């Protein structure tokens, strides 16, 4: 079978991760051929704030991956995140006017075009239009209406828009290093591809990717996307708390966090907790360090579940929360999450990878791996991009439908 080369670049606030692979089109048939991970510069809270610095980090990361893979990368799937990303659910409807009243693939395309024709302000761009569910003549919950009979086809979509300037800055960095963009993918959607099971997506689950600058959230239910959002609270704030609370430099606080950080409540009888940690001549108490981290993580977990519209979490997301991102490496984070939310909580890292993939088995690389999988998983879901401004056709189609109604 013919193999094609694919690439992914996760431009994070703390690291850039480039992955090169080849694939026969299936996830099982994907081999990782090159990985390049470098610290990132020029980003804040998930967004490019300095194009030249960001470009250099991206270039370094690609160079590293290319060295391992032994060939040049030409194009890649790119992750995007930041506070500028906004999501909403929208609807669209079309009439099936042909004699046989049979829903065909072209009707799916038409109804998505209608759902896509939302008014997007000039300073924003559509990133994803993902069909959630269809309705044929009022019958709800149809996953694939092709082949059904009806007069009217409705679709519910999840629409994600992003600030044009943020997209442009990121695109400039990527194109600036000679890489073509296959697609821009919202980061939590990518992370979800790498770590969630179909069953979790079906019953209801929150994916929370706690990175350095942002916590990216995607909620799935009934095997479809339910909600997405981006919180500007993540690992950097934990480090800042340690730095301010203990009078350490940011770098030393970061080192302490990674080496000794823990979020479990202090057990009184545990003598280990009274130990003093020494790093580069600075001493801090283990108990104080854990306490500072725990308070911030506790708050963050509460913010994550607050994303859900109701307080009845257990009903919406019985599969609970899956944590990814570098900060999910904090020991005890899943236990604290369960204590706070009374939901199942687990840490998700990419698994079942082939090739030079050892470094990627860490929650921090869920986004990068998920970007690779995005296309394979979403080939048939009709996630359509708004490439051009509204065409006359959308207006005509919706106009006809209004007349018909
Ligand atoms: N072992 C560890 N213990 C605690 N925190 C960790 C550990 N490893 C990484 N981190 C934290 O994870 C964060 C980086 O995570 P990640 O690599 O997912 O971020 P990113 O993708 O670069 O950023 P973002 O997605 O926010 O743009 C940093 O704040 C770092 O301190
Ligand atoms: Mg990230």
């Amino acid at each position: 079978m013919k193999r094609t080369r694919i690439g992914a670049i996760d431009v994070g606030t703390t690291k850039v991760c480039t992955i090169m692979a080849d694939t026969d089109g299936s996830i099982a048939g994907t081999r990782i051929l090159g990985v390049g991970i470098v610290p990132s510069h020029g980003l804040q809270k998930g967004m490019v704030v300095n194009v030249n610095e960001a470009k250099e980090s991206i270039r370094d990361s690609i160079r590293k991956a290319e060295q391992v893979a032994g060939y040049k990368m030409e194009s890649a799937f790119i992750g995007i995140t930041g506070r500028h990303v906004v999501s909403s659910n929208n609807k669209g409807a079309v009439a099936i006017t042909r004699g046989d009243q049979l829903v065909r693939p072209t009707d799916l395309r038409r109804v998505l075009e209608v759902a896509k024709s939302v008014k997007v302000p000039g300073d924003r761009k559509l990133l994803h239009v993902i069909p959630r569910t269809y309705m044929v003549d009022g019958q709800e919950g149809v996953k694939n209406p092709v082949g059904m009979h009806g007069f009217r086809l409705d679709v519910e979509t999840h629409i994600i828009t992003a600030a044009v300037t943020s997209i442009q800055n990121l695109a400039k960095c990527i194109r600036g290093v000679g890489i073509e963009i296959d697609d821009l993918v919202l980061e939590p959607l990518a992370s979800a591809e790498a770590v969630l099971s179909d069953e979790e997506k079906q019953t209801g689950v929150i994916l929370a990717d706690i990175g350095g600058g942002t916590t990216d959230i995607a909620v799935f239910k009934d095997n479809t996307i339910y909600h997405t959002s981006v919180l500007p609270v993540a690992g950097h704030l934990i480090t800042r708390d340690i730095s301010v609370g203990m009078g350490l430099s940011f770098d030393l606080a970061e080192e302490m966090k990674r080496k000794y950080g823990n979020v479990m409540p202090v057990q009184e009888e545990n003598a280990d907790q009274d130990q003093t940690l020494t790093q580069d001549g600075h001493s801090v108490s283990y108990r104080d360090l854990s306490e500072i981290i725990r308070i911030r993580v506790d708050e963050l977990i509460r913010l994550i579940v607050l994303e859900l519209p109701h307080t009845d979490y257990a009903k919406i997301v019985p599969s609970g929360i899956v944590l990814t991102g570098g900060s999910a490496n904090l020991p005890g984070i899943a236990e604290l999450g369960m204590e706070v939310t009374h939901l199942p909580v687990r840490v998700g890292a990419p698994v079942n990878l082939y090739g030079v993939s050892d470094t990627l088995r860490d929650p921090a690389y869920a986004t990068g791996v998920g970007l690779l999988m995005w296309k394979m998983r979403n080939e048939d879901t009709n996630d359509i991009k708004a490439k051009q401004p509204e065409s006359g056709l959308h207006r005509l189609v919706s106009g006809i439908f209004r007349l018909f109604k």
Side-chain angles (χ1 to χ4, degrees):
M1 186 169 231
K2 192 178 172 296
R3 299 188 70 84
T4 46
R5 286 173 173 174
I6 47 171
I9 310 174
D10 170 17
V11 188
T13 309
T14 53
K15 53 102 196 7
V16 181
C17 169
T18 299
I19 309 177
M20 296 165 73
D22 74 359
T23 181
D24 62 4
S26 71
I27 288 167
T30 301
R31 278 185 311 194
I32 311 281
L33 301 173
V35 176
I37 298 160
V38 301
S40 80
H41 299 282
L43 271 98
Q44 252 169 38
K45 301 226 176 270
M47 287 180 288
V48 174
V49 290
N50 181 324
V51 170
N52 285 335
E53 282 182 13
K55 221 161 80 178
E56 278 320 303
S57 308
I58 295 167
R59 201 195 305 275
D60 286 349
S61 156
I62 295 171
R63 209 176 279 148
K64 271 194 158 180
E66 286 177 342
Q67 262 168 12
V68 182
Y71 62 89
K72 282 226 148 316
M73 181 154 137
E74 283 169 13
S75 69
F77 289 87
I78 311 295
I80 186 161
T81 185
R83 273 306 253 181
H84 60 101
V85 175
V86 173
S87 77
S88 64
N89 289 331
N90 192 42
K91 288 178 176 174
V94 288
I96 312 294
T97 46
R98 277 182 310 271
D100 58 5
Q101 248 72 62
L102 191 69
V103 179
R104 291 182 165 79
T106 57
D107 299 314
L108 281 197
R109 279 196 287 278
R110 272 196 316 136
V111 77
L112 283 170
E113 286 292 319
V114 172
K116 197 181 82 174
S117 65
V118 281
K119 272 233 171 335
V120 179
D123 58 351
R124 306 193 65 78
K125 193 176 173 336
L126 273 177
L127 206 57
H128 298 284
V129 180
I130 303 169
R132 301 178 56 227
T133 176
Y134 295 93
M135 197 158 87
V136 179
D137 283 355
Q139 184 191 330
E140 289 179 15
V142 177
K143 283 280 165 224
N144 185 2
V146 171
M148 291 176 72
H149 290 271
F151 289 97
R152 174 185 166 135
L153 175 66
D154 288 66
V155 66
E156 268 183 39
T157 52
H158 188 71
I159 293 190
I160 299 169
T161 65
V164 168
T165 47
S166 295
I167 295 180
Q168 278 170 342
N169 286 337
L170 180 62
K172 205 168 174 180
C173 296
I174 303 291
R175 296 208 182 98
V177 298
I179 301 292
E180 242 182 79
I181 299 174
D182 287 323
D183 216 342
L184 285 171
V185 179
L186 184 65
E187 288 178 12
L189 295 180
S191 307
E193 296 300 347
V195 301
L196 295 186
S197 70
D198 289 342
E199 161 143 27
E200 283 169 330
K201 284 195 209 165
Q202 177 66 39
T203 54
V205 68
I206 302 174
L207 181 288
D209 188 295
I210 313 176
T214 61
T215 293
D216 299 349
I217 297 172
V219 183
F220 293 84
K221 174 117 189 125
D222 299 330
N223 229 339
T224 178
I225 186 79
Y226 185 85
H227 177 72
T228 45
S229 82
V230 178
L231 302 174
V233 181
H236 280 183
L237 277 186
I238 303 175
T239 305
R240 213 192 56 187
D241 289 350
I242 300 169
S243 152
V244 173
M246 306 197 124
L248 306 173
S249 70
F250 187 90
D251 289 348
L252 189 55
E254 175 75 19
E255 219 178 308
M256 286 278 192
K257 177 180 81 170
R258 290 194 186 216
K259 210 163 167 186
Y260 306 109
N262 195 313
V263 298
M264 275 321 274
V266 174
Q267 312 277 315
E268 291 309 329
E269 68 275 13
N270 190 343
D272 273 2
Q273 316 235 308
D274 292 321
Q275 67 180 307
T276 302
L277 309 166
T278 308
Q279 185 83 21
D280 299 350
H282 293 265
S283 298
V284 300
S285 120
Y286 181 74
R287 188 182 290 270
D288 292 349
L289 180 72
S290 314
E291 183 77 2
I292 291 175
I293 299 174
R294 186 164 49 80
I295 289 170
R296 178 61 82 172
V297 173
D298 182 298
E299 183 205 19
L300 176 54
I301 290 167
R302 287 174 206 278
L303 285 175
I304 292 169
V305 282
L306 271 178
E307 282 299 314
L308 286 181
H310 310 289
T311 44
D312 212 357
Y313 309 131
K315 269 210 190 103
I316 306 174
V317 286
S319 289
I321 308 176
V322 176
L323 298 170
T324 58
S327 304
N329 280 309
L330 276 169
I333 195 166
E335 291 78 1
L336 179 67
M338 286 189 268
E339 203 178 286
V340 171
T341 63
H342 303 292
L343 291 169
V345 181
R346 70 173 177 96
V347 173
V351 285
N352 300 332
L353 300 172
Y354 305 96
V356 289
S357 56
D358 302 351
T359 42
L360 298 176
R361 290 173 224 277
D362 179 302
Y365 305 119
T367 308
V369 171
L371 284 168
L372 271 190
M373 296 177 170
W374 171 257
K375 180 79 177 170
M376 290 173 234
R377 294 267 197 153
N378 292 277
E379 198 85 72
D380 54 350
T381 56
N382 290 309
D383 170 23
I384 43 173
K385 305 271 159 166
K387 291 220 168 62
Q388 299 93 29
E390 298 306 275
S391 75
L393 180 68
H394 311 155
R395 279 195 291 275
L396 187 68
V397 169
S398 37
I400 290 172
F401 179 68
R402 274 196 297 276
L403 271 180
F404 180 80
K405 232 173 39 172

